[in-house]
Amino acid sequence: MVSPNPPPAEALENAASIATPASAGQSPRNWLEGLDNPYFQAGFGLMGVGVVLGGLRKFAGFADVFLRRRLLVQVEINNKDRAYPWFLAWMAQQSQKNQSFGRGLGLISRSHRLSVETTVEQLHNGSSSVFFNLVAGTGMHWFKYHGIWMQVVRERDTHSMQMMSGAPWETVTLTTLSRDRDIFPRLLAEARDLALKDQEGKLVIQTPWGTEWRPFGLPRRKRPLHSVVLDNGIAASIESDVKSFLQRRQWYVDRGIPYRRGYLFHGPPGSGKSSYIQALAGSLNYNLCLLNLSERGLGDDKLTYLLSTVPERSFVLIEDVDAAFNKRVQTSEDGYQSSVTFSGFLNALDGVASGEERIVFLTTNHIDRLDPALIRPGRVDFTQYIGDAMPSQARKLFERFYIAESDGPSSTNFGQDIYDIIEEGITRDKRISMAALQGLFIRNNDAEDALEACRKML
Ligand SMILES: Nc1ncnc2c1ncn2[C@@H]1O[C@H](COP(=O)(O)OP(=O)(O)O)[C@@H](O)[C@H]1O
Ligand SMILES: [Mg+2]
């Protein structure tokens, strides 16, 4: 560092003020004599030192900027970016790896400021385990990646909160020598792959977090599509409609029609509406965005925004659409409306025409309570009734519970028994939901007990 020096201007002034009385109105000779004046010389010397030091300081400043520009590269990632959690997780993993190799190169092992990130992971048998990851806390850290040193600075700005989500702003800045700049894409790709590997073969459910969509809970294991047993032909017709829509993007674009499709499933509770949508999303490698229209603080504007910013490859699922508009709309004193209005919902569904794909699933137990305006094409293009258990559905579910694959369905007649029980019930207008049947089958280990319990229920 350059030490502070007397400002040159001041030094000049001193010199001048001392020199002037001697020089004013005097002959040149006298003036020259003034140069011998020790005060004058001291002032001149000081000025010289000041100029030199000032120059040095400027030079140091230039050199610093030059070095930074020429020799260092920096990458900044802020916590609004998806790469942010990926990078922190990658860094944590990197340090674990290094420690286990005993090289002790892990940045974490050298850092003194750590923060804990707790994760819950679903194991293959469905149970969960809790893991603690030590990630780099705020401050400066160093680490070596492929033999290249990097500096990581994690900063948090607690003064400014992000709009809506209320989370503080955070950034990590990576700095390294500029000849290694190609290392950043490689590093970030590695972090991304690590994060996505966790989601592979799983279903990610997202919910609104302020105005953003954020993963809700852990990626879940997918439910096999065939495990949701719908009445004959229904599952196939839904699946083929969704698939054919997904293949017709260009058709929509060519005709200038917004590329979206709305599905409405209605029918009694426990018939598999939600389960089927979830399983279908999983089977098509889509994620689910859950939207609760009754959520506090969700107004028309926010709803419109959320529906226009649905993450890629995601179905939007809005459950119980009938229930959302039966309440009174609450408007607070400042005019802020804290719930969604019906017209606001329609507008949000219509949205601005764009080439963005959007697939919305609506469910309701009471289709008769829905305003016809909602069910017009463009908002809802495909309506499907999904009802209580039909005989063939009951048989399929029963076989799934009680007959091992190796036995083959013909090894017992119990399947036919449940078929008959349900069929007979329907003639008396007595029905049972698939959810209730599933409950019966879970409670009864023995097939005959289950049949008996079912008879009693109808
Ligand atoms: N058709 C079905 N096939 C298999 N399981 C079903 C079916 N319908 C309901 N279930 C089971 O019942 C429970 C509730 O189903 P859900 O999908 O939430 O019904 P809904 O959304 O129609 O009210 C789930 O655990 C699901 O496994
Ligand atoms: Mg449901």
Side-chain angles (χ1 to χ4, degrees):
M1 265 320 287
V2 182
S3 61
N5 57 309
E10 214 175 292
L12 250 180
E13 232 168 66
N14 284 344
S17 66
I18 295 164
T20 314
S23 60
Q26 285 179 13
S27 65
R29 196 167 160 269
N30 282 348
W31 184 82
L32 273 177
E33 273 170 7
L35 283 178
D36 292 338
N37 183 330
Y39 287 111
F40 186 87
Q41 285 178 352
F44 210 72
L46 271 181
M47 189 177 85
V49 171
V51 168
V52 169
L53 284 183
L56 272 181
R57 192 163 62 170
K58 255 197 180 145
F59 175 76
F62 278 135
D64 186 44
V65 170
F66 176 82
L67 286 179
R68 277 179 193 278
R69 284 222 184 117
R70 282 299 173 91
L71 299 180
L72 300 178
V73 265
Q74 289 195 322
V75 168
E76 189 189 282
I77 315 170
N78 70 47
N79 61 343
K80 274 208 64 115
D81 196 277
R82 279 202 289 180
Y84 190 79
W86 296 350
F87 175 74
L88 286 186
W90 175 86
M91 218 159 69
Q93 194 235 25
Q94 206 68 7
S95 83
Q96 274 172 2
K97 240 184 3 197
N98 285 337
Q99 274 166 359
S100 63
F101 284 127
R103 302 208 317 252
L105 273 179
L107 72 158
I108 304 293
S109 56
R110 296 186 160 218
S111 298
H112 300 285
R113 300 196 61 153
L114 308 178
S115 72
V116 170
E117 218 154 73
T118 310
T119 52
V120 185
E121 261 172 44
Q122 211 170 23
L123 306 176
H124 277 296
N125 61 9
S127 68
S128 302
S129 270
V130 179
F131 295 95
F132 301 105
N133 275 334
L134 290 182
V135 300
T138 51
M140 191 193 289
H141 311 268
W142 291 90
F143 73 106
K144 219 172 179 182
Y145 174 65
H146 288 287
I148 294 165
W149 278 104
M150 285 202 190
Q151 184 201 55
V152 184
V153 178
R154 181 173 178 187
E155 288 166 308
R156 181 174 299 150
D157 181 359
T158 43
H159 296 299
S160 59
M161 299 289 175
Q162 284 178 36
M163 257 236 304
M164 313 305 276
S165 69
W169 275 104
E170 282 194 20
T171 51
V172 273
T173 311
L174 299 173
T175 309
T176 193
L177 290 172
S178 62
R179 65 189 158 87
D180 306 322
R181 68 173 67 219
D182 302 335
I183 206 78
F184 287 128
R186 209 159 116 196
L187 185 157
L188 289 172
E190 223 174 83
R192 178 203 58 207
D193 293 346
L194 178 75
L196 295 184
K197 203 179 77 195
D198 241 21
Q199 299 181 2
E200 224 167 70
K202 297 210 175 129
L203 176 80
V204 178
I205 295 191
Q206 310 217 39
T207 50
W209 176 267
T211 48
E212 273 173 57
W213 290 99
R214 289 261 189 100
F216 174 73
L218 298 162
R220 285 149 216 244
R221 272 158 39 90
K222 289 177 180 175
R223 178 173 180 154
L225 197 52
H226 63 77
S227 78
V228 186
V229 185
L230 301 186
D231 199 10
N232 291 336
I234 292 181
S237 78
I238 299 169
E239 194 184 352
S240 81
D241 189 276
V242 174
K243 280 185 173 163
S244 84
F245 170 74
L246 290 178
Q247 286 162 5
R248 293 179 79 189
R249 178 192 290 268
Q250 199 53 46
W251 188 92
Y252 280 80
V253 173
D254 290 345
R255 283 157 188 78
I257 313 170
Y259 185 48
R260 34 178 109 116
R261 197 145 180 93
Y263 295 84
L264 172 68
F265 296 164
H266 64 105
S271 52
K273 300 181 290 295
S274 312
S275 306
Y276 184 76
I277 295 164
Q278 196 165 330
L280 183 66
S283 88
L284 297 171
N285 283 324
Y286 268 62
N287 292 321
L288 263 194
C289 288
L290 290 188
L291 200 49
N292 179 1
L293 292 182
S294 312
E295 192 178 285
R296 269 190 65 195
L298 180 70
D300 291 349
D301 293 349
K302 214 155 130 184
L303 177 72
T304 308
Y305 183 77
L306 283 168
L307 276 181
S308 60
T309 53
V310 176
E312 72 281 358
R313 283 193 88 79
S314 302
F315 290 166
V316 181
L317 172 56
I318 307 175
E319 300 256 35
D320 302 316
V321 269
D322 60 284
F325 307 109
N326 292 333
K327 295 184 282 55
R328 231 160 32 97
V329 172
Q330 290 176 350
T331 311
S332 62
E333 278 167 17
D334 56 3
Y336 179 72
Q337 168 211 314
S338 65
S339 46
V340 176
T341 62
F342 183 65
S343 70
F345 179 47
L346 293 187
N347 285 331
L349 279 182
D350 294 343
V352 265
S354 74
E356 298 288 311
E357 164 192 302
R358 199 184 69 199
I359 302 176
V360 178
F361 286 88
L362 309 175
T363 70
T364 176
N365 296 331
H366 308 279
I367 195 172
D368 47 303
R369 292 189 197 160
L370 290 184
D371 194 303
L374 177 61
I375 314 181
R376 77 150 172 73
R379 293 174 182 144
V380 169
D381 308 280
F382 186 109
T383 305
Q384 178 64 57
Y385 173 74
I386 298 181
D388 285 326
M390 294 306 279
S392 61
Q393 276 175 280
R395 181 166 61 198
K396 252 196 199 157
L397 194 69
F398 181 91
E399 283 166 355
R400 195 145 289 147
F401 270 80
Y402 296 106
I403 297 169
E405 306 260 309
S406 55
D407 292 354
S410 57
S411 65
T412 168
N413 257 342
F414 289 156
Q416 189 57 41
D417 288 348
I418 190 90
Y419 186 101
D420 294 340
I421 293 169
I422 299 293
E423 192 172 45
E424 191 269 336
I426 291 174
T427 59
R428 289 183 285 113
D429 210 22
K430 285 272 194 179
R431 289 159 206 271
I432 188 169
S433 71
M434 287 295 276
L437 270 184
Q438 174 186 276
L440 268 184
F441 298 162
I442 291 174
R443 280 196 298 279
N444 294 285
N445 263 332
D446 186 69
E448 275 180 90
D449 293 347
L451 289 177
E452 194 44 46
C454 189
R455 267 190 208 102
K456 276 196 192 130
M457 274 182 87
L458 287 168

